[in-house]
Amino acid sequence: AQSVAQPEDQVNVAEGNPLTVKCTYSVSGNPYLFWYVQYPNRGLQFLLKYITGDNLVKGSYGFEAEFNKSQTSFHLKKPSALVSDSALYFCAVRPMNTGFQKLVFGTGTRLLVSP
Amino acid sequence: DVKVTQSSRYLVKRTGEKVFLECVQDMDHENMFWYRQDPGLGLRLIYFSYDVKMKEKGDIPEGYSVSREKKERFSLILESASTNQTSMYLCASSLILDRGAEAFFGQGTRLTVV
């Protein structure tokens, strides 16, 4: 079965420190991978995606993610966290070998950046 | 910018009512989705449509139906609302996902069934 795991319910980091939000996936074949962010009482906003090519992907608001095929991971990173980065983050995968147009989401990780 | 608009931010309905959630997108996207978001469960796909009048069941279609009469509009229908359908509902649209297109989300509708 296709699945996405976000092993941490919450990540705490001090402002100015680097942050990492973890994501691993399980799909057959090569996937498309996505990160989304959700602020309170809002919909999801697209941050970045991996399709092919360079394993390091840069996205909005200074975020980046590294695709690691051997570890089936796609961790979200930022060199210096801001208090305004506090939000709920979702990893998603689109399996490439299925005809069904579907994104599979993880359960989300709440990021809390303290001043 | 792509805009996905859901008709209501907050709704309160009574058990047994028929409930309509409306979603409109303005980017001529082929795909439209309805997700349900619950704490600890992430987003779960209810229904998906890849063209006008075409639909596919997602992971949790029971108790729901959908309608897509026009390309830009995708409606979610709760045939007889129940308290376990209290949740955040998110509509999304995208180009064909085979090329790695991302989905764009509406602001969400928080539905409470009493």
Side-chain angles (χ1 to χ4, degrees):
Chain A
Q2 329 283 1
S3 65
V4 175
Q6 293 182 244
E8 302 155 317
D9 291 335
Q10 183 162 313
V11 170
N12 297 305
V13 64
E15 188 173 32
N17 284 357
L19 69 88
T20 299
V21 183
K22 295 180 180 177
C23 172
T24 59
Y25 63 90
S26 174
V27 299
S28 51
N30 294 318
Y32 295 140
L33 293 157
F34 304 82
W35 275 102
Y36 287 83
V37 60
Q38 184 181 36
Y39 297 101
N41 296 314
R42 304 299 297 273
L44 273 66
Q45 295 178 29
F46 168 74
L47 275 179
L48 51 79
K49 65 182 176 183
Y50 173 80
I51 305 301
T52 187
D54 193 349
N55 289 342
L56 184 64
V57 178
K58 294 188 182 296
S60 306
Y61 312 121
F63 284 94
E64 58 189 28
E66 186 168 12
F67 172 63
N68 188 318
K69 187 174 182 178
S70 62
Q71 296 185 5
T72 62
S73 68
F74 189 56
H75 300 332
L76 181 70
K77 300 181 180 184
K78 187 173 182 181
S80 178
L82 300 172
V83 173
S84 58
D85 292 330
S86 299
L88 188 57
Y89 290 82
F90 288 96
C91 181
V93 63
R94 156 59 166 124
M96 283 181 63
N97 66 339
T98 65
F100 191 57
Q101 299 278 316
K102 178 177 178 177
L103 283 174
V104 177
F105 284 85
T107 53
T109 298
R110 188 165 301 282
L111 174 66
L112 185 60
V113 182
S114 55
Chain B
D1 284 348
V2 174
K3 191 165 185 180
V4 179
T5 303
Q6 295 182 228
S7 53
S8 303
R9 291 292 302 275
Y10 300 94
L11 276 179
V12 180
K13 297 292 181 181
R14 295 191 179 278
T15 300
E17 276 193 79
K18 190 169 186 177
V19 181
F20 293 85
L21 303 183
E22 307 286 346
C23 176
V24 176
Q25 52 96 2
D26 65 357
M27 282 301 291
D28 202 35
H29 284 169
E30 292 86 355
N31 294 335
M32 296 190 75
F33 310 83
W34 276 106
Y35 285 90
R36 171 177 171 161
Q37 181 182 6
D38 299 288
L41 298 177
L43 275 71
R44 294 179 290 168
L45 183 64
I46 304 172
Y47 266 99
F48 151 72
S49 170
Y50 54 91
D51 202 350
V52 175
K53 298 188 185 294
M54 306 304 290
K55 62 185 179 184
E56 292 280 352
K57 291 181 180 179
D59 300 316
I60 52 165
E62 296 78 17
Y64 303 95
S65 62
V66 290
S67 173
R68 194 170 181 195
E69 297 296 319
K70 295 184 178 181
K71 191 174 184 180
E72 68 271 18
R73 187 179 296 271
F74 192 36
S75 302
L76 179 70
I77 303 156
L78 284 67
E79 298 292 342
S80 177
S82 63
T83 54
N84 62 12
Q85 291 179 310
T86 291
S87 186
M88 172 73 112
Y89 290 86
L90 294 167
C91 175
S93 73
S94 77
L95 295 171
I96 294 173
L97 293 179
D98 289 350
R99 298 178 183 176
E102 64 267 28
F104 294 85
F105 284 80
Q107 76 276 27
T109 296
R110 187 166 294 281
L111 172 68
T112 302
V113 182
V114 298

